DNA sequence: CTACTTGTTGGTAT
DNA sequence: AATACCAACAAGTA
């Protein structure tokens, strides 16, 4: 399940592999994946050069000649693979970009949740999900002032608040649990009850954890791999996610798993006490 | 067969 | 208005 670090890893892999390549033709094997009628999608992409790959949150922007951008969201299990012509088509391959050099860029997605929107470059922020996207989790964009402001004005509990991409871009279920553990904050803590000191700790952990995950090429929880086919390394670093019943790496207490906002939520009941609110 | 998982949107209920 | 909850999407696993 790609979160920001995995998407960034894919961006880097695609940049190395297909930046500068030219699309010859496109096959659409699953039409619901795209925002245009397949014939329009194919026709618009014919002969376009892949100029650059950008990223915003979990969204990839494939910049093409002709002032076009493919906005690609991998959702749960989307992947890009580069294959030579003639290599067998996987049953979960949904879009094939035939390149003029004979290689193929293939979009694979077991659950068909991923989406591609072909839009005019400059209008990509009008794609659903990007209109309201929050700041990137970086030192520069995710300021203390911003965090302080959004935390003060909401009574939502922190875990679903972190998953809401309009607050901060890029956190998914794994890293949300991880940064809360790192910051010793209970997933059910209402955000307006979190002290400024804790907000600063959380901010630093979000920025640092995602940077570390990018450095480790993302995480492998299900079937994630980079565009090179190499597995991510980061799963070795997860402290609470997927570790229900195992000892907390900090205090040894058993990690608990609960359901919060319909999502599996892992935390240490001792390190991450709920502060000053009744349950 | 059921329940559960994931990210995101969109609708309804409180 | 803000929040909470649910369904939908799709397919795999237990």
């Amino acid at each position: 399940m790609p979160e920001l670090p995995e998407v960034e890893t894919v961006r880097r892999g695609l940049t190395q592999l297909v930046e500068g390549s030219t699309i010859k033709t496109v096959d659409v094997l699953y039409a619901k994946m795209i925002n245009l009628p397949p014939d329009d999608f194919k026709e618009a992409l014919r002969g376009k050069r892949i100029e650059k790959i950008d990223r915003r949150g979990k969204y990839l922007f494939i910049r093409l000649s002709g002032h076009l951008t493919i906005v690609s969201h991998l959702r749960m299990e989307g992947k890009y693979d580069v294959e030579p012509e003639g290599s067998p088509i996987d049953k979960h391959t949904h879009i094939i970009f035939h390149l003029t050099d004979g290689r193929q860029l293939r979009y694979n997605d077991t659950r068909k949740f991923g989406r591609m929107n072909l839009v005019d470059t400059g209008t990509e922020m009008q794609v659903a999900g990007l209109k309201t996207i929050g700041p990137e989790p970086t030192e520069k964009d995710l300021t203390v002032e911003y965090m302080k402001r959004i935390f003060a004005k909401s009574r939502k509990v922190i875990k679903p608040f972190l998953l809401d991409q309009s607050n901060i871009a890029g956190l998914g279920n794994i890293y949300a649990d991880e940064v809360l553990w790192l910051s010793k904050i209970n997933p059910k803590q209402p955000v307006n009850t979190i002290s400024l000191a804790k907000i600063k700790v959380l901010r630093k952990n979000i920025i640092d954890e995602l940077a570390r995950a990018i450095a480790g090429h993302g995480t492998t929880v299900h079937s994630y791999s980079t565009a090179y086919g190499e597995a991510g390394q980061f799963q070795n670093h997860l402290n609470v996610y997927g570790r229900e019943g195992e000892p907390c790496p900090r205090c040894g207490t058993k990690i608990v798993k609960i359901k919060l906002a319909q999502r599996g939520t892992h935390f240490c009941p001792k390190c991450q006490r709920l502060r000053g609110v009744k349950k």
Side-chain angles (χ1 to χ4, degrees):
Chain A
M1 46 208 102
E3 304 187 21
L4 186 150
E6 293 74 33
V7 178
E8 176 59 19
T9 302
V10 170
R11 188 194 70 77
R12 293 176 184 187
L14 285 178
T15 299
Q16 292 218 26
L17 286 164
V18 300
E19 194 177 272
S21 298
T22 298
I23 297 167
K24 188 166 61 181
T25 57
V26 178
D27 295 337
V28 176
L29 285 63
Y30 182 67
K32 287 172 75 176
M33 188 132 281
I34 57 178
N35 66 324
L36 297 175
D39 287 345
D40 297 351
F41 187 81
K42 293 189 229 183
E43 187 50 37
L45 294 177
R46 185 185 301 276
K48 296 299 187 292
R49 184 174 183 271
I50 301 170
E51 309 276 12
K52 196 172 190 302
I53 322 286
D54 291 325
R55 180 191 57 74
R56 179 74 169 87
K58 303 176 196 172
Y59 294 81
L60 288 168
F61 298 152
I62 303 173
R63 306 297 190 184
L64 304 168
S65 58
H67 212 64
L68 292 173
T69 293
I70 297 171
V71 178
S72 171
H73 196 298
L74 306 174
R75 292 286 184 105
M76 308 281 303
E77 301 197 32
K79 298 168 199 58
Y80 284 97
D81 292 296
V82 176
E83 302 278 355
E85 217 163 324
S87 89
I89 305 291
D90 186 275
K91 66 185 268 206
H92 301 300
T93 297
H94 306 305
I95 311 276
I96 303 176
F97 301 89
H98 298 263
L99 305 178
T100 56
D101 61 13
R103 295 180 303 154
Q104 300 177 353
L105 176 63
R106 295 181 185 172
Y107 179 74
N108 300 304
D109 192 335
T110 315
R111 301 214 186 150
K112 299 181 174 173
F113 266 27
R115 290 293 176 262
M116 278 185 213
N117 287 68
L118 178 63
V119 301
D120 281 320
T121 299
T123 67
E124 59 272 353
M125 297 312 283
Q126 290 167 39
V127 170
L130 283 163
K131 288 178 189 167
T132 56
I133 198 166
E136 288 290 304
T138 60
E139 192 63 45
K140 179 167 87 62
D141 292 332
L142 186 62
T143 64
V144 173
E145 272 314 302
Y146 172 79
M147 295 261 297
K148 187 178 162 188
R149 178 157 49 83
I150 63 169
F151 277 58
K153 73 178 187 192
S154 173
R155 274 163 287 182
K156 281 189 187 171
V157 301
I158 184 72
K159 167 75 186 277
F161 188 83
L162 289 180
L163 291 178
D164 184 342
Q165 304 296 299
S166 67
N167 291 319
I168 301 169
L171 289 169
N173 209 33
I174 299 173
Y175 296 111
D177 283 359
E178 291 297 314
V179 299
L180 289 175
W181 180 85
L182 287 168
S183 308
K184 300 186 183 178
I185 297 171
N186 187 285
K188 289 174 119 168
Q189 194 73 41
V191 299
N192 63 342
T193 66
I194 298 174
S195 70
L196 180 57
K198 272 285 189 194
I199 290 173
K200 288 178 176 173
V201 168
L202 175 63
R203 172 180 173 275
K204 180 165 172 44
N205 281 324
I206 290 169
I207 294 168
D208 292 353
E209 177 71 357
L210 293 181
R212 274 196 298 273
I214 290 169
H217 303 297
T219 180
T220 301
V221 166
H222 277 175
S223 50
Y224 165 76
S225 64
T226 69
Y228 296 102
E230 57 190 60
Q233 310 284 310
F234 201 73
Q235 71 276 19
N236 303 321
H237 302 276
L238 298 179
N239 290 297
V240 283
Y241 187 87
R243 294 187 178 277
E244 180 185 17
E246 294 180 36
C248 167
R250 208 161 32 210
C251 75
T253 302
K254 278 190 178 178
I255 298 298
V256 167
K257 181 177 182 182
I258 60 168
K259 184 154 279 198
L260 195 47
Q262 283 72 50
R263 295 292 175 241
T265 297
H266 313 72
F267 70 105
C268 170
K270 188 176 173 199
C271 290
Q272 295 170 263
R273 289 255 166 81
L274 196 58
R275 309 257 170 205
V277 267
K278 33 185 172 164
K279 294 198 275 190

